[in-house]
């Protein structure tokens, strides 16, 4: 059997192994392949960076464990950005697994050690609120009543210094929503942006862009980070290359591998059996 024929009959397990290596290697050792900075990531970065210090920001986990490969790098980068300022950060979740994701975030970022943030004064986690959009409406009317105790210390929400002057949506300057579907942006707009005028920025999985991008044009959404590539751009703007950069490297190398295999397969085909046919 000639080398051209062998190229066309490679055991697919070797191809799977090459694919596995092409993904794993950049994740362990990011290559730092060039990433151009786009409009979405720039607007998201600038919006947060231009907020007045002491702004009160509600961060909502509107996704679960299954979406972490795409949204977790953005979540980490955003918390680095928020905690590098003097913002007041309130963390909630409309999805049941949201607090579990936040636990993983805290395992990676210790706000007290890295940024000197005091729990209950600079930030607080209030946990999951039930009933989806109905819960969003209730949260906007009375945060203390909807989430009466915090998630971490199980103390009354009203007892924390950060919450003393924060009771309704009117007391929140900005919502940052990380999401994969419903409930998400349309529900936040109906229950917070329209009745209270609360500003919203968001990060979402890439396939949601056609659904949520029109809200940028109407002014109901202020900034948007769609998918892993824009998250990598955001990491570069923060000068904190992380999981998104590694993920984009892995995707690029895996795509390159597919292109090389397709080219080699076609060359081998036309120089052997294809030519004889």
């Amino acid at each position: 059997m000639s080398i051209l024929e062998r190229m066309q009959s490679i055991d697919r397990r070797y191809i799977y192994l090459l694919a596995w290596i092409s993904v794993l290697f950049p994740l362990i050792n990011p290559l730092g392949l060039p990433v151009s900075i786009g409009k979405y990531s720039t607007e998201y970065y600038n919006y947060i960076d231009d907020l007045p210090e002491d702004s009160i920001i509600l961060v909502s986990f509107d996704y679960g464990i299954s979406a972490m490969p795409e949204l977790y790098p953005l979540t980490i980068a955003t918390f680095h950005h928020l905690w590098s300022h003097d913002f007041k950060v309130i963390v909630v979740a409309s999805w049941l697994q949201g607090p579990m994701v936040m636990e993983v975030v805290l395992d990676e970022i210790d706000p007290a050690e890295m940024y000197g943030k005091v729990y209950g004064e600079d930030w607080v986690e209030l946990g999951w609120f039930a009933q989806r959009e109905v819960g969003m409406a209730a949260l906007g009317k009375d945060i203390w009543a909807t989430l009466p105790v915090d998630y971490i210390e199980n103390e009354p929400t009203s007892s924390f210094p950060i919450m003393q002057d924060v009771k309704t949506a009117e007391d929140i300057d900005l919502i940052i929503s990380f999401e994969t579907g419903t409930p998400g942006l349309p529900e936040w707009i109906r229950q917070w942006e329209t009745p209270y005028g609360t500003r919203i920025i968001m990060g979402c999985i890439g396939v949601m862009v056609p659904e949520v991008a029109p809200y940028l044009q109407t002014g109901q959404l202020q900034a948007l980070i769609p998918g892993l590539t824009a998250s990598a751009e955001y990491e570069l703007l923060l000068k904190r290359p992380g999981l998104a950069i590694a993920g984009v490297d892995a995707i690029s190398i895996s795509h390159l591998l597919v292109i090389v295999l397709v080219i080699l397969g076609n060359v081998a085909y036309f120089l052997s059996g294809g030519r004889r046919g």
Side-chain angles (χ1 to χ4, degrees):
M1 181 182 294
S2 69
I3 187 171
L4 295 176
E5 292 172 333
R6 289 177 180 175
M7 289 172 60
Q8 297 176 77
S9 58
I10 297 175
D11 191 322
R12 68 183 64 182
R13 290 174 294 183
Y14 292 117
I15 297 177
Y16 294 152
L17 178 61
L18 283 173
W20 181 77
I21 293 172
S22 71
V23 170
L24 183 62
F25 181 77
L27 292 176
I28 296 175
N29 297 289
L31 305 175
L33 298 176
V35 176
S36 59
I37 307 298
K39 175 183 176 181
Y40 285 136
S41 56
T42 302
E43 290 179 345
Y44 185 93
Y45 172 86
N46 288 338
Y47 195 90
I48 293 177
D49 224 42
D50 291 341
L51 287 172
E53 299 297 328
D54 291 328
S55 293
I56 300 172
I57 300 173
L58 184 82
V59 178
S60 182
F61 282 83
D62 303 323
Y63 74 96
I65 301 297
S66 62
M68 286 183 68
E70 191 163 1
L71 288 183
Y72 181 70
L74 172 62
T75 305
I76 289 292
T78 300
F79 273 105
H80 275 301
H81 199 177
L82 294 178
W83 280 327
S84 67
H85 288 270
D86 290 328
F87 302 141
K88 304 299 182 184
V89 179
I90 301 167
V91 181
V92 299
S94 69
W95 284 44
L96 185 58
Q97 294 180 342
M100 297 172 62
V101 180
M102 186 61 191
E103 289 180 6
V104 182
V105 171
L106 292 176
D107 285 341
E108 184 160 341
I109 309 175
D110 184 340
E113 181 178 342
M114 295 184 68
Y115 294 100
K117 301 300 180 182
V118 178
Y119 185 79
E121 296 182 13
D122 300 306
W123 77 282
V124 68
E125 183 180 356
L126 301 183
W128 173 67
F129 59 86
Q131 298 183 307
R132 300 159 71 87
E133 186 172 358
V134 174
M136 289 179 179
L139 193 69
K141 292 178 180 178
D142 192 337
I143 299 174
W144 293 4
T146 306
L147 294 168
V149 297
D150 79 305
Y151 181 79
I152 293 180
E153 296 183 354
N154 201 37
E155 294 292 334
T157 296
S158 59
S159 68
F160 293 100
I162 189 176
M163 299 301 300
Q164 293 303 300
D165 298 320
V166 180
K167 194 172 183 182
T168 72
E170 293 179 342
D171 302 316
I172 301 295
D173 298 309
L174 176 69
I175 295 172
I176 301 179
S177 171
F178 303 115
E179 60 185 74
T180 58
T182 305
L185 180 63
E187 292 75 25
W188 282 118
I189 288 175
R190 285 195 293 265
Q191 302 304 330
W192 281 59
E193 196 275 340
T194 299
Y196 302 105
T198 310
R199 300 291 187 172
I200 305 171
I201 66 175
M202 69 176 292
C204 67
I205 55 177
V207 296
M208 288 183 63
V209 174
E211 175 186 349
V212 299
Y215 291 106
L216 289 170
Q217 300 173 357
T218 63
Q220 294 167 296
L221 177 65
Q222 306 306 308
L224 164 68
I225 289 273
L228 194 63
T229 300
S231 300
E233 298 168 11
Y234 179 51
E235 287 183 348
L236 291 179
L237 288 169
L238 290 172
K239 296 181 174 56
R240 278 186 166 274
L243 295 173
I245 290 292
V248 169
D249 282 349
I251 292 171
S252 298
I253 294 300
S254 64
H255 287 179
L256 181 61
L257 174 64
V258 171
I259 292 171
V260 170
L261 291 175
V262 168
I263 292 174
L264 290 177
N266 278 275
V267 168
Y269 171 77
F270 285 110
L271 291 180
S272 57
R275 182 174 59 186
R276 289 196 300 271

